[in-house]
């Protein structure tokens, strides 16, 4: 697929329209992601969980794997099992 804009402009435009902010993965988040219990091995999901924990942000998930993390108590918004 060919974009009508340079990739950086396309990303910036899409993020602004959706009112989304990209958060950096720092050393603390990477370490916490690696040290989370092995309920779920998807590295991207583990980074999402660690970021939510560090920043005390809610996580919205349709998957059930996130519910295994007691660390997310009070932060997880998910359907009931």
């Amino acid at each position: 697929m060919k974009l009508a804009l340079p990739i950086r402009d396309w990303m910036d435009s899409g993020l602004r329209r959706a009112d989304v902010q990209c958060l950096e993965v720092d050393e603390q988040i990477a370490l916490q992601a690696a040290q989370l219990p092995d309920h779920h091995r998807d590295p991207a999901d583990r980074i999402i969980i660690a970021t939510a924990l560090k920043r005390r942000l809610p996580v919205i998930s349709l998957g059930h794997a996130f519910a295994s993390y007691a660390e997310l108590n009070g932060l997880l918004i998910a359907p009931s099992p």
Side-chain angles (χ1 to χ4, degrees):
M1 178 171 101
K2 184 157 174 86
L3 299 175
L5 300 169
I7 187 71
R8 178 80 260 165
D9 296 339
W10 181 83
M11 288 275 302
D12 288 343
S13 173
L15 292 171
R16 263 193 317 278
R17 274 192 306 231
D19 196 25
V20 171
Q21 178 185 2
C22 285
L23 303 175
E24 292 186 21
V25 175
D26 61 21
E27 181 179 354
Q28 183 182 1
I29 290 171
L31 286 170
Q32 186 164 15
Q35 294 171 347
L36 284 169
D38 253 356
H39 303 308
H40 186 54
R41 299 186 63 92
D42 183 307
D45 285 351
R46 294 170 69 86
I47 289 170
I48 291 168
I49 292 166
T51 301
L53 293 172
K54 177 182 178 185
R55 295 180 176 261
R56 303 303 302 161
L57 294 170
V59 176
I60 300 171
S61 174
L62 294 178
H64 296 288
F66 282 37
S68 300
Y69 290 93
E71 297 87 349
L72 288 175
N73 279 348
L75 295 176
L76 182 61
I77 300 167
S80 299

